[in-house]
Structures are given as C-alpha cells and as structure tokens.
Amino acid sequence: MRYEELTDQVRTRARLPDRRSAERAVRATLETLAERIPGGLAAHLAAQLPAEAAEPVLRVTASGRGSPEERAYRRDHGERFGLTGFAGRIAWRTERTEEEALREASAFFEVLDAAVDPELMEKVYGVLPHDIRALLPEARADVDARDDGPTGGAGSADRETQ
C-alpha cells in the first residue's frame, strides 16, 4: 500500500478534516505502537510499511534514550503501558483529546490490519495488553474474544500479562 493511500484511508475512517491530520495520526500511532512492542517486531513492521510510515517506527527503535539496561529491555519487550498511556501518548503527539486519539488509532489499526501481512499483525496484536487490543478491527477482536474465552486460547494468559 502506498503512503498516500494509507493516510487517505485513515482520514476517511477517522473522519479527519484533511491529509495533514491523518498523517499526524498515523505518525503518532506508529510511534506509540513502536514504543509498546519489542524492537525487533517493530522493525519487521516497518519493513512492510511505505518509507514515510516506516520512518517514525525506525526512529523510535533506534532511540538511544535511557540506560543500556532500559534500552535492552525495550528492544526485547517494549515499554509497559496500557490503553490510558497509549491514548495519552497519541493525544500528546497529535494535540488532540484522548477520545479523538483512540478513534484515530482504531481507524489506523483497521487500515494497518489490511495493509500488512496477517501473520505479522497477529504477532503485533499478540504482544499488546488486552485493553489496547480493544482498538483492533472488529473481525480481529472477535478472534481475540474466542481466544480469551472460558477455556482460554493458546497463549491468552501470556498476552494478558504483557
């Protein structure tokens, strides 16, 4: 998918007024997602994105902030924060409310889910905590609900602690 197509789809789904707002939402969501997931997984995601969308992911994964131990942990696990932190970071980056940030992130995940290899998206979504997975496209969320059902799916307990 071309970058223009990705941003146009996010603009339409999130009901944003213009391409610039959509680009800001895409960049903010990708930066926040890259902070939350392991660095190697973020790099794999970046490899499947158009260059303009990959840049914020690669910038986050190359960040040298924090101690060597903190950087190693982020590389292997990503930062730990839930939906409130996810929404707050996107809202701060886009200068929008947290409610708007969540709507825009949800629209972005719908577009991303269709644009990237399904196996990679399962890995990305698998490392996210349950509350952030609530932003997933409805079809993906339905699969997650079955996995987290009464008997619990393979790996559901592991995902809950992420």
Side-chain angles (χ1 to χ4, degrees):
M1 177 179 290
R2 292 185 356 253
Y3 182 70
E4 295 78 19
E5 186 180 357
L6 185 137
T7 56
D8 285 346
Q9 287 186 24
V10 170
R11 183 184 56 77
T12 300
R13 290 175 192 254
R15 299 180 304 276
L16 294 169
D18 53 42
R19 171 176 263 155
R20 191 164 171 239
S21 297
E23 288 175 340
R24 192 171 31 240
V26 166
R27 186 175 47 255
T29 306
L30 280 168
E31 288 172 350
T32 306
L33 181 62
E35 290 170 341
R36 183 59 182 85
I37 65 177
L41 189 55
H44 287 296
L45 177 63
Q48 292 194 18
L49 295 171
E52 301 92 332
E55 187 274 327
V57 175
L58 296 173
R59 187 178 61 249
V60 167
T61 59
S63 171
R65 67 171 212 252
S67 71
E69 294 82 17
E70 291 170 328
R71 289 192 309 269
Y73 183 85
R74 283 195 312 268
R75 181 189 64 240
D76 296 340
H77 304 285
E79 292 182 46
R80 292 209 184 270
F81 52 85
L83 184 61
T84 302
F86 195 81
R89 289 174 188 222
I90 294 171
W92 176 76
R93 287 177 166 127
T94 59
E95 299 178 349
R96 315 252 308 151
T97 67
E98 287 186 12
E99 183 178 304
E100 292 167 324
L102 289 173
R103 185 187 74 234
E104 293 165 12
S106 183
F108 170 77
F109 279 126
E110 286 182 39
V111 175
L112 184 68
D113 195 66
V116 176
D117 178 64
E119 289 179 20
L120 176 61
M121 291 313 301
E122 284 191 30
K123 290 177 184 177
V124 169
Y125 292 148
V127 300
L128 295 174
H130 190 272
D131 57 349
I132 294 176
R133 283 188 279 141
L135 299 175
L136 305 182
E138 197 169 305
R140 180 79 66 181
D142 289 345
V143 170
D144 265 356
R146 287 192 300 271
D147 286 348
D148 292 339
T151 59
S156 63
D158 291 337
R159 286 193 312 263
E160 288 300 314
T161 60
Q162 297 295 318

